[in-house]
Amino acid sequence: MRITKLLTSSTIQLHLSSKEKKGVIEELVKTLDHAGKLNDREQFKEAILAREAKSTTGVGEGIAIPHAKTKAVKEAAIAFGRSQNGVDYESLDGQPAHLFFMIAAPEGANDTHLQALARLSSMLMREEVRHALLQAKTKDEVLAIIDQHDEVEKDETHVQSSEDYILAVTACPTGIAHTYMAADSLKEKAKEMGVNLKVETNGSGGAKNVLTKDDIAKAKAIIIAADKQVDMARFNGKPVIEVPVADGIRKPKELIERALKQDATIYHHESSKGNSEESEKRQRSGIYKHLMNGVSNMLPFVVGGGILIAISFMFGIKAFDPEDPTYNEFAEALMTIGGGSAFGLMIPVLAGFIAMSIADRPGLAPGMVAGFMAAQGQAGFLGGLIAGFLAGYIVVGLKKFFQGLPNQLEGIKPVLLYPVFGIGITGLIMFYIIIDPVAAINEALKDWLNGLGTGNLVLLGLILGGMMAFDMGGPVNKAAFTFGIAMIEAGNYLPHAAVMAGGMVPPLGIALATFMFRKKFNEREKEAGITNIFLGASFITEGAIPFAAADPIRVIPSLIIGSATAGALSMLFEIGLRAPHGGAFVISFVDGNPWLYAFAILVGSFVTAILLGILKKPVQQ
């Protein structure tokens, strides 16, 4: 099927009016809906936003490919939109996006549809295609450009003997866009470097160009650029590089060079007796991935609930209590929605999605039930974490245990065996072993925090604030953020205020530095500095990453010191924060003096800016 069977003049918008990400998504969804491609516009939009929540589809080079595969789509289609001025789409390279292709795939999308969508993703990696689309003056011209470059790609089944023969596997959760863009990026760079490379793609239509035993035996190393599980057992004993699929798109040269040097660890499949330090690292990264899956799905409940609770306090700190003189019915409603309902679901959702990440859909029910037990038993956030991992790995064990059942019973596993045994075994372990000890640990931790003197609180704020700037969205940052959420759930609101202050400082400090020390930054950095004002105000620490990557030795210490300062001041001023996100929006709802909290953030930002001004060298003219 030609791509232009899916992309038609009725689904093209040459002049997008939106200047921000959500607006672009809204425009393109509306375009598909008006063209009669959707069954349910709102459901499709939710699916698109859910995909964006996992990782941005702004793939760099001025391109964004929002996509979803859902029953809300009536028939497979592509919407194209163009913004000449560009939109901040949180792209992988930090640059504005100009070309937008929204891919709508129905749940029953056939293989020909999926192949066409895959070809589009690969096509957009070519500079001449992007340039032509930017210059196109009419819808017909856009369609002609797409049609001109729409070529069916053949499987690379021939194995060539070469010392530089390397393999790659690419895969993303939806298997529509990033899978093929990573494959194409790696192949283009390998061709440019004169390296013999074969890539297997694990897309929605199944694995294509599958690596054979002969391929694997001859390969120098294997690159796995994937955000979902791939068949790894076949690579046992080979040097393997494992990275996110985005690295396949953005860092093909670096990955190929590593493979050529065999700068990789020998993969030992779990059924093998071999073990290594790197295999342990992979296991840790897997645990981190499961944890973040739980945290990311829990976050909307915490953010929405926390902000509603904070708003209820505008009517009085006890206005939600019918027995209090300041009682207000609307405040009670907000507290019931935010505290009783949204916060009540926080730990079950955390545990459920951790378990689901480990054991796929059969893990969800045992995880949520165990998480609910943890919440009801006062085991708190820590109990929820244990519940999620416990349920996930129990279901993994059940899958292996039930492997020997006759094929006729395959259908009852997900609807009967996994739920009954998964919920039952996990629940019993939680009831008899986990809940009481963890509840006691939680109570001890709460008492310890409540008993800390001012000096110790300031030290804790210093550490938490600094952690937020250490890797800006990485494991250390997420560890501090997760600790702050756990403390909110435990009823201690001081730590997360320090966490958010520390997280806002890096982009705000950089923004200030670009205004105060203009000669230390190039024009592109000055423009990015303006963007960082809004990113910092929105508690999006990642806005500082491009600056840190360009000059880590000078920038990262400046960020850490500024963030640590803000965290320490937040603790010194005894600021509490019940909403774990929201940035500047929630400052007025803090426990304590909001002006002092804003002052702490500003002081930390100025510390970072001044250090950058002192440490950074002037830009060479």
Side-chain angles (χ1 to χ4, degrees), residues 58 106 142 209 231 254 285 308 320 323 343 364 379 403 417 466 475 495 498 519 528 558 578 594:
V142 170
N209 205 34
D231 178 12
E254 176 185 321
S285 67
L308 289 175
F320 62 88
E323 303 299 322
F343 261 39
L364 180 62
Q403 276 179 350
L417 297 181
K519 294 181 180 179
S558 303
R578 296 168 187 261

Side-chain angles (χ1 to χ4, degrees), residues 386-435:
I386 295 171
F389 284 103
L390 177 66
Y393 288 116
I394 282 176
V395 173
V396 168
L398 289 173
K399 286 182 176 182
K400 291 181 179 179
F401 182 77
F402 291 130
Q403 276 179 350
L405 291 179
N407 290 336
Q408 293 87 339
L409 299 178
E410 195 66 31
I412 71 167
K413 289 181 183 179
V415 297
L416 178 63
L417 297 181
Y418 296 147
V420 171
F421 285 94
I423 291 172
I425 295 171
T426 307
L428 288 170
I429 294 173
M430 290 294 296
F431 187 85
Y432 284 108
I433 300 174
I434 304 296
I435 290 178

Side-chain angles (χ1 to χ4, degrees), residues 209-487:
N209 205 34
V210 177
L211 306 178
T212 66
K213 288 184 179 179
D214 194 24
D215 292 333
I216 296 167
K218 293 183 179 182
K220 198 167 187 178
I222 298 100
I223 299 166
I224 307 294
D227 288 338
K228 70 173 187 176
Q229 290 283 5
V230 299
D231 178 12
M232 296 293 293
R234 52 191 166 152
F235 304 130
N236 191 45
K238 299 293 293 188
V240 174
I241 300 167
E242 294 185 71
V243 296
V245 69
D247 283 4
I249 300 171
R250 303 301 317 151
K251 303 176 181 177
K253 183 178 180 182
E254 176 185 321
L255 294 174
I256 292 170
E257 286 177 344
R258 283 184 60 191
L260 292 175
K261 296 174 185 175
Q262 292 189 315
D263 178 15
T265 53
I266 305 301
Y267 178 75
H268 295 288
H269 186 54
E270 59 185 12
S271 62
S272 304
K273 290 184 179 179
N275 196 5
S276 69
E277 182 182 346
E278 189 63 22
S279 66
E280 291 176 10
K281 287 182 181 177
R282 272 197 305 275
Q283 186 179 13
R284 286 199 295 270
S285 67
I287 289 172
Y288 174 73
K289 180 180 177 182
H290 302 321
L291 172 61
M292 285 304 105
N293 189 60
V295 170
S296 64
N297 281 285
M298 174 195 72
L299 198 56
F301 295 87
V302 185
V303 173
I307 291 176
L308 289 175
I309 291 170
I311 294 173
S312 77
F313 293 146
M314 294 175 65
F315 300 91
I317 199 68
K318 292 284 187 180
F320 62 88
D321 184 359
E323 303 299 322
D324 193 87
T326 62
Y327 171 71
N328 180 284
E329 185 178 355
F330 188 63
E332 182 189 11
L334 291 175
M335 179 60 75
T336 301
I337 296 166
S341 301
F343 261 39
L345 286 169
M346 179 177 77
I347 292 174
V349 168
L350 169 74
F353 280 92
I354 289 174
M356 188 175 178
S357 177
I358 295 167
D360 212 347
R361 294 179 73 176
L364 180 62
M368 290 199 74
V369 170
F372 184 75
M373 292 178 68
Q376 295 299 302
Q378 306 303 313
F381 195 86
L382 178 59
L385 292 178
I386 295 171
F389 284 103
L390 177 66
Y393 288 116
I394 282 176
V395 173
V396 168
L398 289 173
K399 286 182 176 182
K400 291 181 179 179
F401 182 77
F402 291 130
Q403 276 179 350
L405 291 179
N407 290 336
Q408 293 87 339
L409 299 178
E410 195 66 31
I412 71 167
K413 289 181 183 179
V415 297
L416 178 63
L417 297 181
Y418 296 147
V420 171
F421 285 94
I423 291 172
I425 295 171
T426 307
L428 288 170
I429 294 173
M430 290 294 296
F431 187 85
Y432 284 108
I433 300 174
I434 304 296
I435 290 178
D436 288 343
V438 174
I441 292 171
N442 267 348
E443 195 62 33
L445 178 61
K446 198 188 312 183
D447 291 343
W448 175 73
L449 282 171
N450 290 335
L452 285 178
T454 301
N456 289 328
L457 282 173
V458 170
L459 178 60
L460 180 61
L462 193 82
I463 294 169
L464 290 173
M467 288 173 70
M468 290 300 291
F470 184 81
D471 52 3
M472 291 157 284
V476 175
N477 170 285
K478 287 295 189 292
F481 184 75
T482 303
F483 177 78
I485 292 176
M487 291 302 97

Side-chain angles (χ1 to χ4, degrees), residues 538-552:
S538 303
F539 185 31
I540 300 174
T541 315
E542 288 83 349
I545 289 176
F547 293 84
D551 190 4

Side-chain angles (χ1 to χ4, degrees), residues 480-481 484-485 488 493-501 539 577 579-581 597:
F481 184 75
I485 292 176
I488 288 177
Y493 307 113
L494 298 182
H496 202 76
V499 165
M500 193 171 83
F539 185 31
L577 181 65
H581 215 290
Y597 190 47

Side-chain angles (χ1 to χ4, degrees), residues 12-31 80-88 97-98 100:
I12 294 176
Q13 291 283 351
L14 291 179
H15 305 288
L16 292 172
S17 60
S18 300
K19 295 180 173 59
E20 47 89 32
K21 181 175 180 175
K22 286 188 178 178
V24 168
I25 289 173
E26 181 67 45
E27 281 191 70
L28 294 177
V29 170
K30 186 176 180 181
T31 298
F80 169 68
R82 186 176 68 187
S83 169
Q84 293 291 356
N85 293 328
V87 173
D88 179 9
H98 297 270
F100 303 87

